[in-house]
Amino acid sequence: MDLGLKGRKAIITGATKGICRATAELLAAEGCDLAICSRNPDDVADAVAALSAHGTKVWGSACNVRKAEEYDAWLKQAAAELGGCDIFVPGVSAGGGMEGEKSWYRNFEIDVLGCVRGVDTLFEFLKDSGNAAVVFISTTAAVETFMAPMAYNALKASLITYAKQMSQVHMKRGIRFNVVSPGPIMVPGGAWDQIRAQDEGFYNSIVAQQPDGRMGDPDEVARCIAFLASDAASWVTGVNLIVDGGFTKRVQF
Ligand SMILES: NC(=O)c1ccc[n+]([C@@H]2O[C@H](COP(=O)([O-])OP(=O)(O)OC[C@H]3O[C@@H](n4cnc5c(N)ncnc54)[C@H](OP(=O)(O)O)[C@@H]3O)[C@@H](O)[C@H]2O)c1
């Protein structure tokens, strides 16, 4: 199946590691030009060099998406460097945490506004594309009770509603909005790797809930993001695609 991604211009935030890095690798391999960021300039330079090996244009610079002006300027430069934007994956998250209001503000500014501001700033480019796709990254912790009450879980859930509403308004402008909700994904050095080091019993209890007895791999989520971003999903908009190997137990009607 031809995904029709060749020559598309994709902007991905937080793409030096984990799921977004895997997505960047896959989209570059499929022929997309890319703009990427993270906060660490050395990591961005290394990722740009590695991603460039696929032979497409790859641009990146350091940016903290929590800083509104810096993020806005970065997005505009990213679109200018690529000459437009067909695909937007705002993947940065503040992660989980239970520090009261601090966590709520952090997750709101990074997880929620990182998507909202990104879409607002890139909107004209997405509209000009005529065939654009936005993919937000939520989590299974948004759709089923998980661990403890947390800003991360509740605010990630807001992305699912926001994507659905945007999908209704903007399909006629050629912009699709979808969400992927990963279950637990093992990223070397990432959240679950740290949990495994700190509390192996809890980590093992999560793995035991997986029908196939393992954490997911970033590539398994990246392939779903690439599909939703591609022409193969041309009539798919407003969905929340759960990518969890069966971790969630509800029936999704
Ligand atoms: N891993 C999982 O189990 C899992 C499950 C469900 C959903 N998700 C979601 O999937 C997405 C990716 O998660 P992941 O676990 O793959 O991430 P990750 O491995 O922790 O990577 C996060 C990336 O974002 C960058 N980043 C972090 N804060 C940033 C900021 N303020 N501004 C710019 N860049 C920033 C990081 O680089 P720097 O730190 O150098 O900036 C890194 O490149 C997130 O939205 C997460 O909520 C993950």
Side-chain angles (χ1 to χ4, degrees):
M1 177 168 67
D2 180 7
L3 292 175
L5 286 165
K6 203 169 177 356
R8 312 280 283 154
K9 304 168 199 329
I11 298 179
I12 311 176
T13 68
T16 58
K17 297 176 194 143
I19 292 166
C20 290
R21 174 61 180 273
T23 303
E25 295 282 355
L26 190 50
L27 292 186
E30 289 290 326
C32 290
D33 293 334
L34 293 182
I36 63 154
C37 74
S38 82
R39 291 167 298 183
N40 183 314
D42 293 339
D43 286 354
V44 174
D46 288 350
V48 167
L51 290 162
S52 298
H54 294 286
T56 60
K57 177 176 175 125
V58 182
W59 174 84
S61 74
C63 169
N64 185 342
V65 308
R66 193 177 188 180
K67 298 184 176 169
E69 282 178 23
E70 184 177 315
Y71 185 38
D72 185 64
W74 180 84
L75 288 160
K76 285 175 177 154
Q77 192 179 352
E81 295 282 344
L82 297 182
C85 178
D86 306 302
I87 295 167
F88 180 44
V89 184
V92 172
S93 171
M98 291 193 286
E99 296 178 83
E101 283 196 12
K102 255 170 115 174
S103 294
W104 284 90
Y105 281 112
R106 201 165 50 223
N107 283 103
F108 177 66
E109 287 174 353
I110 295 175
D111 294 68
V112 181
L113 289 185
C115 293
V116 174
R117 287 173 174 154
V119 169
D120 287 351
T121 298
L122 293 175
F123 190 76
E124 289 305 314
F125 299 101
L126 295 166
K127 192 156 68 66
D128 289 348
S129 160
N131 180 18
V134 176
V135 184
F136 297 143
I137 309 181
S138 184
T139 166
T140 51
V143 301
E144 260 189 17
T145 302
F146 183 63
M147 285 176 74
M150 245 188 245
Y152 175 79
N153 304 352
L155 291 173
K156 281 287 201 186
S158 73
L159 296 178
I160 301 168
T161 306
Y162 176 56
K164 182 68 187 177
Q165 293 181 333
M166 293 295 273
S167 75
Q168 291 291 297
V169 180
H170 297 302
M171 185 69 177
K172 61 175 178 277
R173 297 186 177 89
I175 312 174
R176 294 181 297 106
F177 285 81
N178 290 295
V179 182
V180 295
S181 287
I185 305 298
M186 175 50 72
V187 176
W192 284 109
D193 210 7
Q194 289 170 31
I195 290 169
R196 178 167 59 180
Q198 285 158 17
D199 187 348
E200 205 174 359
F202 175 69
Y203 174 86
N204 288 338
S205 75
I206 298 300
V207 173
Q209 291 173 47
Q210 290 286 163
D212 63 353
R214 67 174 177 90
M215 295 254 154
D217 184 87
D219 283 334
E220 293 177 298
V221 183
R223 287 197 294 272
C224 295
I225 295 172
F227 167 70
L228 289 172
S230 78
D231 285 353
S234 56
W235 220 40
V236 182
T237 193
V239 308
N240 176 29
L241 180 58
I242 306 286
V243 188
D244 70 348
F247 185 69
T248 48
K249 309 302 176 206
R250 75 198 172 124
V251 177
Q252 188 178 359
F253 288 105

